[in-house]
């Protein structure tokens, strides 16, 4: 058994772990060990943005988790892939860059995550990024993370969708990551110079040039080592051999919303009955571990397209070859985008203060995993209700670290979530039937014009809805009895142990999770290093001043929220 000593041990080289590896090794005095179960991300299928469906569905690059039968989805087992490669889920995701609404982070603080309100987290979003169109009060231009709009909406369907949203009475928004999320506009992606800009590319590779960072791949962590109520290191397996690494300062779990709670439970930290049922000795009872699981669901609203402008005409082998060759040679063209280049964020009903529905617009009609496309031209909207009230669990099943945990989201358990998806169907039809889409809009493929009543919509959603791959909140930050980490990201009751990843979100934001996960790691790095936090922002937030009375803003003047 080999033993090594480091100042910090980070478990998981994903969206958060790569950020921490970079920021903690900025101080040459800190020796840092980064452990990752997966291997190299040097694959064309990871680096070429248009190939995004491949790594997500490849065992080599992703944990292919599957849920228990979901009781409110007709007992379907849902696919739950998580990154298992350098860059983690930032190397397999759709590269969509959405921070969430300002009120999402104010909500975090209201839930007990003191210091994590919008004014305090905005500077860390700015610190992380280089926005292709320059810095302002909301956007940064000096950070590691490259963010742009792909091909700048060259396909006419992108702008037609934005115009349809405006026709329907919603705001246009110049930057949904800026002053105003609500509305329709261009979508942003983590792509730089035509390449997927994962946290491995943005943060880890520069850090690997430093002598004080050790990166170990193909390392499966078995448990956190404890001495009483203090973490002292980790036990991990690599190449059939078991090693122990000791941490002088801290062990930091960045294994994600499935991996981090599972690893705490394997280490004897969690809800007593869950651990005892799995045959694991209880070292520290912490009932919130693996609870509070949240995710975004979405379905594809699909239409045939009356003009031959969609990407369905580019899906044959010859066009795919040309796209791939152009990307290899020039790093541009259709290979350099995730194809989600326009979007929308709206409120589902009057009385909802900030957007809870999100659109990703795709100028093609096909499955997200790339397995099926429709003959002829088409387009689709990925639409979901993004502030779910349903809660699930991640529970260890045995002391064997190779056995996957039991995952149950309880999707659509709450009536408000089912209502949200009914709103998705009805509001989307209204938007797509605006004049801006007239020249493109063909017959509705899915759900189908016959799906009209609440009962019909509910039945369709139960069968068609899919995960948006945003599991979160299983080690939530706060101060109540179910909080797992405190607002400093320290595991409650255990010294020298932190969790830093999307599992510590108290609630799920309205948007994709890569951007807020990176922000959390940036801010946590300052907390770990004992540095003064960045100065809070005073940048205003623009919202509809009459949100209590109406579902959409119409032509009313925007006001400061």
């Amino acid at each position: 058994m080999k033993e090594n000593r480091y100042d910090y041990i980070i478990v998981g080289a994903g969206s958060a772990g790569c950020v921490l590896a970079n920021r903690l090794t900025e101080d040459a005095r800190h020796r840092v060990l980064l452990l990752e179960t997966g291997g190299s991300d040097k694959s064309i299928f990871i680096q070429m943005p248009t190939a995004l469906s491949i790594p997500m569905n490849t065992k080599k690059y992703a944990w292919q988790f599957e849920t228990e039968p979901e009781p409110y989805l007709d007992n379907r087992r849902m696919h739950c892939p998580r990154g298992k490669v350098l860059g983690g889920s930032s190397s397999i995701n759709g590269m969509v860059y959405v921070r969430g609404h300002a009120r999402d982070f104010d909500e975090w603080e209201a839930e007990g995550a003191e210091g994590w309100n919008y004014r305090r987290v905005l500077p860390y979003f700015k610190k992380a990024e280089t926005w292709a169109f320059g810095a302002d009060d909301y956007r940064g231009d000096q950070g590691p993370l490259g963010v742009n709009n792909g091909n700048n909406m060259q396909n006419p369907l992108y702008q037609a969708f934005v115009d349809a949203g405006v026709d329907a009475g919603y705001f246009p928004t110049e930057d949904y990551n800026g002053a105003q999320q609500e509305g329709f506009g261009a979508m942003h992606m983590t792509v730089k110079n035509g390449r997927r800009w994962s946290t491995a590319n943005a943060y880890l590779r520069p850090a690997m040039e430093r002598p004080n960072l050790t990166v170990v791949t193909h390392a499966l962590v078995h448990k956190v080592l404890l001495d009483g109520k203090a973490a002292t290191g980790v036990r991990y397996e690599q190449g059939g051999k078991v090693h122990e690494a000791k941490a002088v300062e801290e062990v930091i779990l960045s294994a994600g919303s499935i991996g981090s709670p599972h690893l705490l439970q394997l280490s004897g930290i969690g809800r007593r009955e869950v651990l005892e049922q799995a045959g694991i000795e209880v070292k520290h009872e912490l009932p919130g571990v693996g609870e509070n699981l949240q995710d975004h669901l979405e379905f594809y609203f699909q239409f045939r397209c009356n003009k031959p402008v969609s990407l369905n005409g580019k899906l044959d082998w010859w066009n795919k070859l040309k796209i791939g060759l152009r990307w290899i040679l020039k790093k541009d063209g259709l290979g350099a985008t995730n194809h989600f280049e326009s979007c929308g964020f709206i409120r589902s009903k009057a009385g909802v203060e900030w957007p809870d529905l999100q659109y990703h617009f795709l100028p093609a009609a096909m499955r997200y995993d790339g397995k099926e496309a429709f003959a002829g031209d088409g387009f689709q909207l990925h639409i979901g209700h993004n502030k779910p009230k349903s809660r699930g669990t991640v529970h260890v099943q045995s002391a064997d670290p190779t056995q996957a945990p039991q995952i149950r989201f309880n999707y659509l358990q709450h009536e408000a979530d089912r209502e949200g998806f009914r709103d998705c169907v009805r509001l989307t039809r209204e938007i797509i039937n605006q004049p801006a889409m007239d020249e493109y809009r063909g017959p509705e493929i899915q759900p189908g014009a016959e799906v009209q009543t609440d009962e019909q919509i509910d039945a369709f959603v139960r069968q068609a809805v899919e995960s948006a791959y945003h599991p979160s909140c299983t080690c939530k930050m706060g101060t109540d009895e179910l909080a797992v980490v405190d607002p400093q990201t320290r595991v409650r009751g255990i010294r020298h142990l932190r969790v830093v990843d999307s599992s510590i979100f108290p609630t799920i934001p309205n948007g994709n999770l890569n951007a807020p996960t990176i922000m959390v790691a940036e801010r946590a790095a300052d907390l770990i290093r004992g540095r003064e936090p960045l100065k809070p922002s005073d940048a205003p937030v623009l919202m509809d001043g009459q949100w209590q009375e109406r579902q959409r803003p119409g032509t009313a003047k925007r006001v400061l929220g």
Side-chain angles (χ1 to χ4, degrees):
M1 184 177 292
K2 182 180 177 182
E3 179 175 324
N4 300 291
R5 295 181 71 83
Y6 300 85
D7 295 299
Y8 297 98
I9 298 173
I10 304 167
V11 179
S15 295
C18 289
V19 176
L20 292 173
N22 183 298
R23 296 307 189 190
L24 295 182
T25 56
E26 288 176 335
D27 187 333
R29 297 171 299 175
H30 295 156
R31 294 185 65 228
V32 176
L33 172 65
L34 178 63
L35 298 170
E36 169 56 45
T37 306
S40 172
D41 63 334
K42 292 181 179 179
S43 163
I44 187 174
F45 298 119
I46 290 176
Q47 301 299 327
M48 183 166 62
T50 194
L52 61 94
S53 67
I54 296 175
M56 182 178 292
N57 293 282
T58 302
K59 288 183 178 180
K60 180 179 179 180
Y61 301 125
W63 299 98
Q64 301 296 323
F65 293 123
E66 189 176 65
T67 72
E68 296 299 298
E70 290 290 346
Y72 305 95
L73 294 185
D74 295 340
N75 289 316
R76 294 165 57 202
R77 291 183 181 269
M78 304 293 283
H79 185 213
C80 183
R82 296 286 84 204
K84 187 178 63 173
V85 62
L86 292 179
S89 292
S90 76
S91 288
I92 69 166
N93 68 2
M95 292 156 283
V96 175
Y97 183 83
V98 182
R99 294 173 174 178
H101 194 277
R103 288 290 193 260
D104 289 321
F105 306 103
D106 295 341
E107 181 179 70
W108 284 12
E109 186 163 70
E111 290 279 325
E114 183 180 356
W116 292 84
N117 61 51
Y118 180 66
R119 292 182 64 243
R120 292 187 177 274
V121 303
L122 176 56
Y124 287 96
F125 279 118
K126 293 178 65 178
K127 179 182 180 181
E129 75 169 353
T130 291
W131 172 230
F133 302 103
D136 59 24
D137 288 344
Y138 306 89
R139 308 306 297 257
D141 64 355
Q142 300 295 318
L145 194 68
V147 183
N148 64 25
N149 181 241
N151 284 332
N152 298 315
M153 303 204 314
Q154 292 180 23
N155 190 300
L157 286 166
Y158 292 124
Q159 188 62 49
F161 172 65
V162 173
D163 293 342
V166 176
D167 285 348
Y170 298 97
F171 289 138
T173 180
E174 294 181 1
D175 182 358
Y176 63 83
N177 285 312
Q180 175 193 317
Q181 187 193 60
E182 185 172 4
F184 288 75
M187 181 163 260
H188 312 154
M189 62 188 75
T190 48
V191 172
K192 181 178 180 181
N193 298 327
R195 185 187 298 270
R196 173 194 290 272
W197 214 238
S198 65
T199 56
N201 284 333
Y203 287 89
L204 184 58
R205 287 212 159 72
M208 290 174 74
E209 301 297 320
R210 301 171 184 154
N212 55 333
L213 175 63
T214 301
V215 179
V216 178
T217 56
H218 305 293
L220 177 66
V221 177
H222 288 189
K223 63 169 61 178
V224 176
L225 300 174
L226 299 173
D227 181 5
K229 298 292 185 178
T232 60
V234 298
R235 181 175 297 158
Y236 68 94
E237 181 179 342
Q238 185 198 40
K241 295 182 179 180
V242 176
H243 308 274
E244 287 189 357
K246 295 300 180 70
V248 176
E249 297 290 340
E250 292 183 335
V251 174
I252 307 165
L253 303 186
S254 295
S257 291
I258 307 300
S260 287
H262 187 221
L263 191 50
L264 286 174
Q265 292 165 345
L266 286 168
S267 308
I269 303 170
R271 185 179 290 272
R272 177 175 296 275
E273 54 266 35
V274 172
L275 300 181
E276 289 178 344
Q277 186 171 355
I280 295 172
E281 179 186 354
V282 179
K283 299 290 186 68
H284 179 63
E285 188 168 7
L286 199 57
V289 174
E291 307 300 308
N292 196 45
L293 175 62
Q294 299 169 46
D295 189 18
H296 290 146
L297 286 172
E298 64 180 15
F299 69 87
Y300 314 153
F301 215 122
Q302 297 174 321
F303 293 84
R304 297 199 178 275
C305 184
N306 289 332
K307 288 191 170 183
V309 295
S310 79
L311 297 179
N312 286 69
K314 304 290 186 182
L315 298 177
D316 60 280
W317 71 269
W318 175 240
N319 274 291
K320 286 183 176 180
L321 177 62
K322 289 194 295 182
I323 291 167
L325 287 174
R326 177 170 175 172
W327 184 83
I328 291 170
L329 296 172
K330 301 175 67 176
K331 298 297 185 291
D332 66 4
L334 291 176
T337 175
N338 62 10
H339 307 293
F340 296 112
E341 295 185 22
S342 65
C343 64
F345 297 88
I346 66 175
R347 294 177 291 111
S348 58
K349 54 177 62 69
V352 173
E353 185 180 2
W354 67 92
D356 58 340
L357 305 185
Q358 178 183 3
Y359 290 101
H360 301 62
F361 182 85
L362 182 68
M366 61 187 295
R367 285 169 53 103
Y368 193 77
D369 60 14
K371 292 181 179 178
E372 182 180 351
F374 292 91
D377 282 273
F379 59 86
Q380 69 190 37
L381 304 87
H382 294 218
I383 172 65
H385 177 246
N386 271 10
K387 298 296 287 184
K389 294 185 181 296
S390 302
R391 300 290 185 264
T393 56
V394 174
H395 287 166
V396 65
Q397 297 195 77
S398 77
D400 179 0
T402 66
Q403 183 175 6
Q406 182 185 76
I407 303 168
R408 180 179 286 108
F409 286 93
N410 291 317
Y411 290 123
L412 302 185
Q413 178 184 37
H414 201 287
E415 173 62 19
D417 301 347
R418 298 192 288 271
E419 289 179 3
F421 274 93
R422 295 171 200 148
D423 294 331
C424 287
V425 172
R426 294 187 170 116
L427 293 173
T428 302
R429 282 179 172 150
E430 185 177 357
I431 292 166
I432 297 301
N433 278 291
Q434 297 301 314
M437 294 299 297
D438 283 352
E439 63 179 306
Y440 303 110
R441 181 184 58 252
E444 183 179 312
I445 299 171
Q446 183 177 287
E450 71 282 0
V451 177
Q452 294 289 338
T453 67
D454 286 358
E455 293 75 17
Q456 290 170 333
I457 293 173
D458 289 351
F460 163 77
V461 168
R462 287 196 301 272
Q463 282 297 311
V465 78
E466 297 182 8
S467 172
Y469 310 123
H470 300 159
S472 53
C473 309
T474 49
C475 298
K476 79 168 189 172
M477 179 166 43
T479 56
D480 64 85
E481 64 178 12
L482 290 181
V484 175
V485 302
D486 67 14
Q488 303 293 306
T489 73
R490 301 171 299 202
V491 174
R492 298 172 69 212
I494 299 290
R495 300 187 306 280
H496 312 307
L497 180 61
R498 295 186 195 246
V499 181
V500 179
D501 55 32
S502 62
S503 71
I504 72 172
F505 296 1
T507 57
I508 193 168
N510 178 42
N512 309 66
L513 300 193
N514 195 46
T517 302
I518 292 168
M519 175 278 292
V520 161
E522 283 277 17
R523 191 168 189 274
D526 277 357
L527 296 173
I528 293 166
R529 294 174 65 180
R531 303 205 306 183
E532 283 294 315
L534 298 179
K535 181 181 178 181
S537 170
D538 290 322
V541 177
L542 298 180
M543 299 173 64
D544 181 13
Q546 299 184 47
W547 60 268
Q548 292 173 309
E549 290 82 35
R550 61 190 184 191
Q551 180 265 330
R552 71 196 71 188
T555 58
K557 182 180 178 181
R558 291 173 290 174
V559 301
L560 295 184

